[in-house]
Amino acid sequence: MTTDRTPDRSRRSERSRQAILAATRELIAESGYAKVSIEAIAARAGVGKQTIYRWWSSKGAVIFDSFLALSESADGAGIELPDTGDLAADLKLVLRATAAEFADPEFERPIRALNSALIHDPELAARYRETLARPVDEAKKARLRSAQKSGQLDPAADLDLVSEMLYAPLFQRWLLRTGPLTDEYADALVDNTLRAFRP
Amino acid sequence: MTTDRTPDRSRRSERSRQAILAATRELIAESGYAKVSIEAIAARAGVGKQTIYRWWSSKGAVIFDSFLALSESADGAGIELPDTGDLAADLKLVLRATAAEFADPEFERPIRALNSALIHDPELAARYRETLARPVDEAKKARLRSAQKSGQLDPAADLDLVSEMLYAPLFQRWLLRTGPLTDEYADALVDNTLRAFRP
C-alpha cells in the first residue's frame, strides 16, 4: 500500500511475510513453543533473521501474527453459536466441542504457544483480546442475550461473568492439566452455571 | 545425606543450591521469565553453568524448585481456610485475598514465570500438582466438606468442580488480563457458585 514500493517489491515482501508465518506455525506444531527460535523460523522460511526483526519485535509477536493470519483466512463473516432455542443443549454442544478441541494434539501445541506468549506480554495480550478473543466473546454473549430474552437466563446476569464461569474452568483444567476434559465435565459446567443464573 | 561426600563438600553443595534458587527468584522479580537465562542465573549465583545443569535439566525446572524452596521454608504444617461457620463470608475473604495477591506486582512476575514453565512441561505440571497445588486444593475441599456437613452446600456436589468454578475465572482473568480483579468480582464468583450448589 505504500507508494515507495514497486508492485514487485511489495509482492516479494508479502511472500516473505507469509513464508515466515507458515514456518512459525509448522515449527510450533513440530516442536512446541520453547524450542522455536527466530533463527529456526528464518531458516525454515528461507529469509534472514533481519527480515523477521524488520516486521516483528519478538518471537511472541511472530507467533501471534501466525495465528491472526489463520483466522483472517477463515471466513471473516463472524462467528455464531448455535441457537436452537434450548440454551443448555446449545451450550453443551459448544463446550463439548471446545473440550474436544483442547484435547486434540494438533491444537494443543499452537494454543499453548500462544498462551505462553500472552502471559508475558501485556501488549500482545491486548491485541489478542481485540482481534481474536473479542469476536468469540461477542458470539457467546449474543447467545446468552438471546436466552435472556426467551426467559432462560436471569435478565440481570453479568454476561462476562456467566461466560467466564462456563469456560474458565475448562481452560484452566486444560492449561494446567488438572483433570480430564470429558463430555460429562462440559455438561456439568453448563448445568451448574445455568443453575446459578436461573431467571 | 550421601555417604560419598564429606560434610564440607555437602555443605558447599547446599550453599550453591540455595544461591542458585535465590538468584533465580531475584532475576525473575527483576526482569520476568522471558529474560531470565541459565547464564544469568549462574552469573548472579556465582557458579558455573555446569553446576546448574548438574541439578536441573531446564530453566523451567530451576524456576519450579525456586518456588518449592519458598513453600518449604514456610510453615509446612498445612494450609487451612477460615471456617467461621459462614461459607459465603469465608470464601469471599479468601477470594478477595487471592484477587489482591494476583494484582500485586511482587507476586505477578514469579507466578507468571511459574505458569509459563508449567504450560509447556507436563512433567513439571505433574510435580506442581503434587507438591504445590494439592495441599491448597485439599484445604479448599476441606472447607467445602465442612459446609456440606453443616448444610450450606449440596452434599452431592463435586468438590473439584465447585473449586474450579470459584477460582478458575479469577485465574483466567488475571492470566489473560481480561478484566479487573476487584472485591466485587470475588464476591460475585462466590455468590453465583454457591447458588449453583445450594443444598
Side-chain angles (χ1 to χ4, degrees):
Chain A
M1 290 297 176
T2 56
T3 51
D4 62 340
R5 282 188 189 171
T6 64
D8 264 11
R9 280 195 61 179
S10 170
R11 252 201 301 276
R12 208 163 52 224
S13 228
E14 183 54 24
R15 256 202 317 270
S16 297
R17 221 180 75 89
Q18 291 305 331
I20 292 163
L21 297 176
T24 305
R25 287 191 295 267
E26 284 169 27
L27 287 168
I28 288 171
E30 286 166 23
S31 40
Y33 178 74
K35 290 191 181 150
V36 173
S37 62
I38 294 283
E39 286 78 3
I41 296 170
R44 174 74 61 106
V47 303
K49 272 172 63 175
Q50 320 84 277
T51 306
I52 298 182
Y53 282 119
R54 199 190 313 148
W55 289 315
W56 293 281
S57 59
S58 68
K59 180 171 96 166
V62 191
I63 287 173
F64 183 84
D65 276 355
S66 77
F67 276 81
L68 200 59
L70 269 189
S71 91
E72 277 165 357
S73 67
D75 181 7
I79 306 147
E80 261 183 59
L81 262 60
D83 192 348
T84 65
D86 180 342
L87 179 64
D90 292 347
L91 288 178
K92 282 176 186 176
L93 194 72
V94 173
L95 256 84
R96 284 175 173 215
T98 307
E101 200 177 33
F102 276 146
D104 178 354
E106 285 288 297
F107 177 82
E108 172 88 5
R109 274 185 166 156
I111 205 76
R112 282 191 189 276
L114 178 63
N115 275 290
S116 190
L118 296 178
I119 288 181
H120 297 297
D121 191 331
E123 220 173 283
L124 270 192
R127 281 189 62 205
Y128 169 77
R129 283 195 304 277
E130 285 309 307
T131 56
L132 288 170
R134 187 193 291 267
V136 179
D137 284 345
E138 287 306 321
K140 290 172 185 170
K141 289 200 275 185
R143 180 65 191 89
L144 296 174
R145 260 191 299 272
S146 152
Q148 285 178 317
K149 275 181 205 132
S150 67
Q152 295 185 36
L153 193 73
D154 177 3
D158 172 343
L159 299 187
D160 284 317
L161 185 64
V162 178
S163 180
E164 288 173 330
M165 285 177 68
L166 279 169
Y167 291 88
L170 197 64
F171 172 74
Q172 180 184 270
R173 226 177 223 227
W174 167 75
L175 197 75
L176 301 181
R177 299 181 174 87
T178 40
L181 300 176
T182 58
D183 286 353
E184 292 69 32
Y185 181 64
D187 292 356
L189 281 172
V190 172
D191 288 332
N192 286 292
T193 303
L194 294 189
R195 194 172 304 135
F197 296 100
R198 247 196 305 243
Chain B
M1 291 299 177
T2 55
T3 51
D4 62 340
R5 282 188 189 170
T6 65
D8 264 10
R9 281 196 60 177
S10 169
R11 252 201 303 275
R12 208 163 53 224
S13 228
E14 183 54 25
R15 256 204 317 270
S16 298
R17 218 181 77 91
Q18 291 304 332
I20 291 163
L21 296 176
T24 305
R25 287 190 295 267
E26 284 170 25
L27 287 167
I28 287 170
E30 286 166 23
S31 40
Y33 178 75
K35 290 191 182 149
V36 174
S37 63
I38 294 283
E39 286 79 2
I41 295 170
R44 174 73 61 106
V47 303
K49 273 171 63 174
Q50 320 84 277
T51 306
I52 299 182
Y53 282 119
R54 197 191 313 149
W55 288 315
W56 293 280
S57 59
S58 67
K59 182 171 92 167
V62 191
I63 287 173
F64 183 84
D65 275 354
S66 77
F67 276 82
L68 199 58
L70 269 190
S71 90
E72 278 165 356
S73 67
D75 181 6
I79 306 148
E80 261 183 60
L81 262 59
D83 192 347
T84 65
D86 180 341
L87 179 63
D90 291 347
L91 289 179
K92 282 176 187 176
L93 194 72
V94 174
L95 257 83
R96 284 176 174 217
T98 307
E101 198 176 34
F102 276 145
D104 177 354
E106 284 289 298
F107 177 82
E108 172 89 5
R109 274 184 164 155
I111 204 78
R112 282 191 189 276
L114 178 63
N115 275 290
S116 190
L118 296 178
I119 287 180
H120 297 296
D121 192 331
E123 218 172 284
L124 269 192
R127 281 189 61 204
Y128 169 77
R129 283 195 304 276
E130 285 309 306
T131 56
L132 288 170
R134 186 193 290 266
V136 179
D137 285 345
E138 287 305 322
K140 290 172 185 171
K141 289 199 276 185
R143 180 65 190 90
L144 296 174
R145 259 191 299 271
S146 151
Q148 285 179 316
K149 276 182 205 131
S150 67
Q152 296 186 37
L153 193 73
D154 176 3
D158 172 344
L159 299 187
D160 284 316
L161 184 64
V162 179
S163 180
E164 287 173 330
M165 285 178 68
L166 278 170
Y167 290 88
L170 197 65
F171 173 74
Q172 180 184 270
R173 226 177 223 226
W174 167 74
L175 198 75
L176 303 180
R177 300 180 174 86
T178 40
L181 300 176
T182 59
D183 285 353
E184 292 69 31
Y185 182 65
D187 291 356
L189 280 173
V190 172
D191 288 333
N192 285 293
T193 303
L194 293 189
R195 194 172 304 134
F197 296 99
R198 247 197 305 239

